[in-house]
Amino acid sequence: MATGRTHRPATRSRGIPEATVARLPLYLRALTALSERSVPTVSSEELAAAAGVNSAKLRKDFSYLGSYGTRGVGYDVEYLVYQISRELGLTQDWPVVIVGIGNLGAALANYGGFASRGFRVAALIDADPAMAGKPVAGIAVQHTDELEKIITDNGVSIGVIATPAGAAQQVCDRLVAAGVTSILNFAPTVLSVPEGVDVRKVDLSIELQILAFHEQRKAGEEASSQDAAQPVTPPVRPAPGAEDGHDDSDRKGPDGDVPAVMPA
């Protein structure tokens, strides 16, 4: 079966911007939730809020798909689900291999969202001979010696790398040489690939570091806000004459001012 390699999503040929492509799965997730609740139509404002974007950006994104809502009615949910699924290439079966069946690889293998979104886990591959034949998520793990044959036999064009960093580039090279043209990389390293191969990197530690930055900034802003709320005590001005060590408080004139000329 080689459908994964002969059919590509239509997004590039249609000239849809990468930023829009990155938001399409967000819209699809929100629309799928609406479909499961049998909601027939949705306004751009409601869908934008569910997807976490502004409505103007959503309408612009949908214009690239040739989809325009009906004034006063909104968008047809089922049609949008089909339309976005088609653009993302999810109306066909995409066989996927996962390489590296440690804790993370096993968790990915057990993820139920693959099948419901058009992806079929065709094989689980690991370099540890002790893992060979061991069932994970109902699939027997195969040794990396079989990698090329597995890819060819299953028509795989998408590979998932969940190996340690040190092994990731070698695995990547073998996947590409065998015909894989899209890679989802969970290994904490940057992969080098030839032109025509797409890599998406998922680094949980980097995401946590970014969250830590935002938490630190929020804490700093809160501290600054608290400091700004503290009452400011005005500076105490010395009494006239105090600068030179004299107190003029007992030399004031009848109107309360210090006389310009002191009496002899």
Side-chain angles (χ1 to χ4, degrees):
M1 174 179 176
T3 56
R5 229 174 283 165
T6 56
H7 296 84
R8 304 291 294 171
T11 51
R12 290 184 180 177
S13 62
R14 298 260 311 252
I16 299 178
E18 285 296 324
T20 296
V21 174
R23 287 188 290 270
L24 292 182
L26 303 179
Y27 301 140
L28 182 58
R29 180 175 60 189
L31 286 163
T32 300
L34 292 171
S35 176
E36 290 173 349
R37 303 203 317 262
S38 299
V39 176
T41 59
V42 62
S43 70
S44 58
E45 290 79 11
E46 292 169 334
L47 183 54
V53 303
N54 66 63
S55 57
K57 185 174 293 183
L58 177 144
R59 287 191 292 270
K60 180 68 173 177
D61 289 341
F62 284 0
S63 71
Y64 290 112
L65 308 180
S67 182
Y68 301 91
T70 303
R71 184 179 297 275
V73 176
Y75 294 93
D76 183 286
V77 170
E78 291 300 331
Y79 179 67
L80 269 184
V81 168
Y82 165 75
Q83 196 173 24
I84 294 176
S85 296
R86 183 190 61 192
E87 290 297 333
L88 290 174
L90 304 182
T91 54
Q92 60 180 293
D93 176 60
W94 290 100
V96 175
V97 295
I98 301 175
V99 185
I101 313 303
N103 291 334
L104 177 57
L108 292 171
N110 279 283
Y111 173 57
F114 284 131
S116 64
R117 287 167 174 79
F119 302 96
R120 174 176 58 86
V121 178
L124 305 177
I125 305 172
D126 198 273
D128 184 359
M131 290 288 294
K134 180 179 179 181
V136 175
I139 303 172
V141 177
Q142 301 180 67
H143 193 265
T144 48
D145 288 347
E146 304 295 320
L147 186 147
E148 287 79 8
K149 184 177 185 300
I150 291 167
I151 291 172
T152 300
D153 289 350
N154 291 277
V156 174
S157 60
I158 300 177
V160 178
I161 297 178
T163 66
Q169 185 63 57
Q170 182 182 13
V171 168
C172 175
D173 292 343
R174 289 182 63 186
L175 288 172
V176 172
V180 169
T181 52
S182 294
I183 294 173
L184 181 60
N185 178 33
F186 284 89
T189 187
V190 176
L191 298 176
S192 175
V193 297
E195 187 174 351
V197 176
D198 295 312
V199 175
R200 298 287 296 181
K201 180 171 174 54
V202 181
D203 193 321
L204 301 180
S205 65
I206 287 179
E207 298 302 324
L208 286 172
Q209 289 171 49
I210 293 172
L211 288 175
F213 165 80
H214 289 295
E215 284 300 313
Q216 177 178 259
R217 187 173 65 174
K218 284 186 285 188
E221 290 173 350
E222 183 178 349
S224 298
S225 176
Q226 291 176 348
D227 290 343
Q230 295 296 323
V232 179
T233 303
V236 178
R237 300 181 63 183
E243 297 88 345
D244 56 4
H246 299 287
D247 185 359
D248 292 329
S249 60
D250 58 347
R251 294 183 287 165
K252 294 181 178 179
D255 58 357
D257 293 330
V258 177
V261 179
M262 300 299 295

